[in-house]
Amino acid sequence: MDKESYIFNKFKNSLNGDDGAVVGKCVYSKDLFVEGVHFRREWMSLTQIATKSMLVNISDAIAMNAVPKYALLGVSLPKDISVGEIDELTNGFLKIAREYGVQIIGGDTISDEKIVISITIISKTKNPIYRKGASNGDLLAFTGNLGDVKKEFEILENGGKISNDSKFYIPNLKDKFFYKVAKFINAAMDISDGLSKDLSRLLKVNSLGFKPLLKLSKDELCSGEEYEILFAFKPKFKDKILKIACKTNTKITIFGQCVELDENTKFINKCKEHHF
Amino acid sequence: MDKESYIFNKFKNSLNGDDGAVVGKCVYSKDLFVEGVHFRREWMSLTQIATKSMLVNISDAIAMNAVPKYALLGVSLPKDISVGEIDELTNGFLKIAREYGVQIIGGDTISDEKIVISITIISKTKNPIYRKGASNGDLLAFTGNLGDVKKEFEILENGGKISNDSKFYIPNLKDKFFYKVAKFINAAMDISDGLSKDLSRLLKVNSLGFKPLLKLSKDELCSGEEYEILFAFKPKFKDKILKIACKTNTKITIFGQCVELDENTKFINKCKEHHF
């Protein structure tokens, strides 16, 4: 049983179920980033931990076509953390905040056994893009390359090392591209649990089936924490979107099409699930 | 060294340092509520844990004269939690959300070893009240009775039991009183770390000294997690405030006065500190 879905069904209302909740022109997104669940200390420096925790939260905002403005940080730190280590961590938060024009406006700090980071990002948008909104016939695409994070993760799990600029450490957000194409997009979400799992969510919320246009590898389908964007758009906007992708130097892959839902077109996620 | 202050000084800007951060008409507050730090499972039912975690966050909003509207929940739950236990927890969140007219609009759930609850409350106000704003001559008061939570906490720590309606379980928020008196209040904050510690913060941010008007007991001064409100106001509003207190059936205690800061009037917190 998927306990995460169970819990969120209990809170179900018109505002949740997306990467962020839209209230007026504000979008609110919140994610936990936890030692032993999302990362291990021996894999990442404190600066890398802070950097990634900010980026994965900002990713939610971008996928909704919202510009991040403010952040609230809740941080639990081990009792024995040194001032130098606190500096490393706060420098990571501040670096990304500066890069994206985000102001850290408050939060809470406690002392406990391990690092838990809870970030709330407050973003602004005039045209939010939801998971819901795709239509029969829409093309489906994703940004960037998928699969590397899975391989990087496997190397780390086997005690190996990966490059400091690998995507596992620094998700490569596609804000410049996505803000420009947003007006042509019907539905979108960031790819955090793997294309296959996230595609199944997007199709389900739109009650649509799937027609593949490309054969994707298991690595492409099942690689989590990619923080690329999965999006749906009308075929008539394909050229405009490709042009913007070219101008912003952003790779996109059109891999499928939304079709009417029936027993043959129903998309089923076959990747192993990591949650709960 | 106070690592919490050290961290938040690193993020210092015009918006933080209060119970909540004010942006336009919105107030954002965020607190962590963690098993083993703020509560133990054997002390509280899951419903009580959820209830208290919501109330302590709503308390921040009320002390700023803001009306809570939306909540984002980040919840880490033990892997072996049952559906019945999830129901207990979600019922607690929903009960308080309903009581205060708060909509739960999203969040994040993960599976880990213990319960970590991170709540962001989004509130609205036309007249935010800050910690800063008190003047020389202002009277200082607190709502309710202080001291009981310290005693209840000691009973629990010694393996005893406390009543289900004790303040340790259900903070008794003073929203009805405080929204009505807010226009007469110069500065306020909720009492989470004990009157003495929180008074020292309020006076410091206003560069003011303290003149006691009453002798308070150590229990009253040093009891944390009371979630009563500490507030400062001009003496000319005393009668109006007392009248509203009477009408809303709210006990208030005027215990001191803000005076010019010098070495004799500087207020020094003598209670044991619990943080870090």
Side-chain angles (χ1 to χ4, degrees):
Chain A
M1 185 191 144
D2 179 351
K3 290 181 190 168
E4 183 165 8
S5 304
Y6 181 77
I7 292 171
F8 276 87
N9 278 332
K10 298 214 56 156
F11 296 131
K12 210 167 189 171
N13 62 47
S14 61
L15 298 175
N16 61 32
D18 262 279
D19 290 317
V22 181
V23 179
K25 287 180 179 172
C26 286
V27 178
Y28 301 103
S29 46
K30 183 187 179 87
D31 270 319
L32 291 168
F33 195 64
V34 178
E35 184 178 341
V37 179
H38 301 96
F39 63 89
R40 296 197 200 141
R41 283 290 292 276
E42 60 266 34
W43 291 355
M44 297 170 87
S45 72
L46 288 160
T47 303
Q48 283 171 327
I49 289 166
T51 301
K52 184 164 176 180
S53 69
M54 286 290 281
L55 287 172
V56 305
N57 275 281
I58 289 173
S59 172
D60 285 327
I62 292 169
M64 296 194 74
N65 189 33
V67 180
K69 294 286 184 189
Y70 305 102
L72 296 158
L73 305 183
V75 186
S76 159
L77 297 173
K79 286 181 185 64
D80 60 358
I81 197 164
S82 70
V83 171
E85 287 174 317
I86 292 175
D87 286 342
E88 274 185 53
L89 200 69
T90 50
N91 289 345
F93 290 130
L94 289 167
K95 180 175 178 284
I96 301 300
R98 261 193 308 269
E99 263 176 40
Y100 285 87
V102 170
Q103 212 176 343
I104 297 169
I105 57 173
D108 188 22
T109 316
I110 63 156
S111 154
D112 197 9
E113 287 128 34
K114 63 179 188 175
I115 298 178
V116 176
I117 299 171
S118 161
I119 299 184
T120 301
I121 297 281
I122 301 156
S123 319
K124 300 270 179 177
T125 182
K126 287 177 186 167
N127 170 31
I129 295 174
Y130 301 91
R131 294 181 183 185
K132 199 174 166 87
S135 304
N136 191 349
D138 278 6
L139 292 171
L140 289 159
F142 59 84
T143 59
N145 293 307
L146 298 178
D148 286 349
V149 178
K150 187 165 177 281
K151 288 174 210 157
E152 289 160 2
F153 182 76
E154 282 160 6
I155 292 169
L156 288 170
E157 283 235 295
N158 290 318
K161 283 205 188 283
I162 58 172
S163 153
N164 272 339
D165 55 8
S166 70
K167 229 167 133 186
F168 181 83
Y169 290 140
I170 311 173
N172 185 354
L173 307 186
K174 300 301 190 296
D175 46 318
K176 281 172 194 71
F177 163 73
F178 201 67
Y179 292 147
K180 283 207 172 79
V181 294
K183 57 176 172 267
F184 307 118
I185 306 299
N186 282 345
M189 64 187 294
D190 70 349
I191 301 172
S192 54
D193 293 331
L195 176 62
S196 174
K197 177 69 189 174
D198 290 327
L199 176 63
S200 75
R201 290 179 172 131
L202 190 91
L203 291 168
K204 190 179 176 194
V205 78
N206 289 293
S207 305
L208 286 167
F210 178 69
K211 183 176 118 188
L213 299 177
L214 278 182
K215 183 147 177 58
L216 297 172
S217 69
K218 196 183 158 191
D219 278 352
E220 286 171 306
L221 284 165
C222 302
S223 181
E225 298 196 40
E226 290 281 348
Y227 301 104
E228 297 292 346
I229 305 176
L230 164 65
F231 56 100
F233 57 95
K234 287 212 185 312
K236 69 175 176 184
F237 294 130
K238 183 176 156 183
D239 289 347
K240 283 191 171 125
I241 290 169
L242 288 171
K243 210 169 153 185
I244 295 168
C246 188
K247 268 192 186 166
T248 56
N249 201 18
T250 306
K251 181 179 171 184
I252 67 167
T253 304
I254 299 170
F255 69 97
Q257 193 160 25
C258 299
V259 294
E260 206 170 316
L261 180 64
D262 63 36
E263 59 192 25
N264 296 313
T265 64
K266 188 177 175 183
F267 180 79
I268 292 159
N269 170 38
K270 286 173 188 159
C271 305
K272 220 177 86 186
E273 299 219 22
H274 297 283
H275 283 255
F276 271 114
Chain B
M1 188 193 142
D2 178 351
K3 290 180 191 169
E4 183 166 8
S5 305
Y6 180 77
I7 293 172
F8 276 88
N9 278 332
K10 298 211 59 156
F11 296 132
K12 211 167 188 173
N13 61 48
S14 61
L15 298 175
N16 60 31
D18 262 280
D19 290 316
V22 181
V23 179
K25 286 179 181 173
C26 286
V27 178
Y28 301 103
S29 46
K30 181 186 179 89
D31 270 318
L32 291 167
F33 195 64
V34 178
E35 184 177 341
V37 178
H38 300 97
F39 62 90
R40 295 198 201 140
R41 284 290 292 275
E42 60 266 33
W43 290 355
M44 297 171 87
S45 73
L46 288 160
T47 304
Q48 283 171 327
I49 290 167
T51 302
K52 184 164 177 180
S53 70
M54 285 290 281
L55 287 171
V56 304
N57 275 281
I58 290 172
S59 171
D60 285 327
I62 292 169
M64 296 193 74
N65 187 34
V67 179
K69 294 286 183 188
Y70 306 103
L72 296 157
L73 304 183
V75 185
S76 158
L77 297 173
K79 287 181 184 64
D80 60 358
I81 197 164
S82 70
V83 170
E85 288 174 317
I86 292 176
D87 286 342
E88 275 185 52
L89 199 70
T90 51
N91 289 345
F93 290 130
L94 289 168
K95 180 175 178 283
I96 301 300
R98 263 193 306 269
E99 264 176 38
Y100 285 86
V102 170
Q103 212 176 342
I104 297 170
I105 57 173
D108 187 24
T109 316
I110 63 157
S111 156
D112 198 10
E113 287 128 35
K114 63 179 188 176
I115 299 178
V116 176
I117 299 171
S118 161
I119 300 184
T120 301
I121 297 282
I122 301 156
S123 319
K124 300 269 180 179
T125 181
K126 286 177 187 167
N127 170 31
I129 295 175
Y130 301 91
R131 294 182 182 184
K132 201 174 164 88
S135 303
N136 191 350
D138 277 6
L139 292 172
L140 289 159
F142 60 82
T143 59
N145 292 308
L146 297 177
D148 286 349
V149 177
K150 187 165 178 279
K151 288 174 211 157
E152 289 160 2
F153 181 77
E154 282 160 5
I155 292 169
L156 289 169
E157 283 235 295
N158 290 318
K161 283 206 190 286
I162 58 173
S163 152
N164 272 339
D165 55 7
S166 69
K167 229 168 131 186
F168 181 84
Y169 290 141
I170 312 173
N172 185 353
L173 306 186
K174 300 301 189 297
D175 46 319
K176 281 172 195 71
F177 163 73
F178 201 67
Y179 292 146
K180 282 207 172 78
V181 293
K183 58 176 172 268
F184 307 118
I185 305 298
N186 282 345
M189 64 187 294
D190 71 349
I191 301 171
S192 55
D193 294 331
L195 176 62
S196 174
K197 176 70 189 176
D198 290 326
L199 176 63
S200 74
R201 289 178 173 134
L202 190 91
L203 292 169
K204 191 179 175 194
V205 79
N206 289 292
S207 305
L208 286 167
F210 177 69
K211 183 177 119 189
L213 299 177
L214 278 182
K215 183 146 178 59
L216 297 172
S217 69
K218 196 183 157 192
D219 278 353
E220 286 172 305
L221 285 166
C222 303
S223 181
E225 299 196 39
E226 290 281 349
Y227 301 105
E228 296 292 347
I229 305 176
L230 164 64
F231 57 101
F233 57 95
K234 287 211 186 312
K236 69 175 176 184
F237 294 131
K238 184 176 155 183
D239 287 347
K240 282 189 171 129
I241 290 169
L242 287 172
K243 210 169 153 185
I244 294 168
C246 188
K247 269 193 187 166
T248 56
N249 202 17
T250 307
K251 182 181 172 184
I252 67 167
T253 305
I254 298 170
F255 69 97
Q257 192 160 24
C258 300
V259 294
E260 207 171 316
L261 180 63
D262 63 36
E263 58 191 26
N264 296 313
T265 65
K266 187 176 178 186
F267 180 79
I268 292 159
N269 170 39
K270 287 173 186 157
C271 304
K272 220 177 86 188
E273 299 218 22
H274 298 281
H275 283 255
F276 271 114

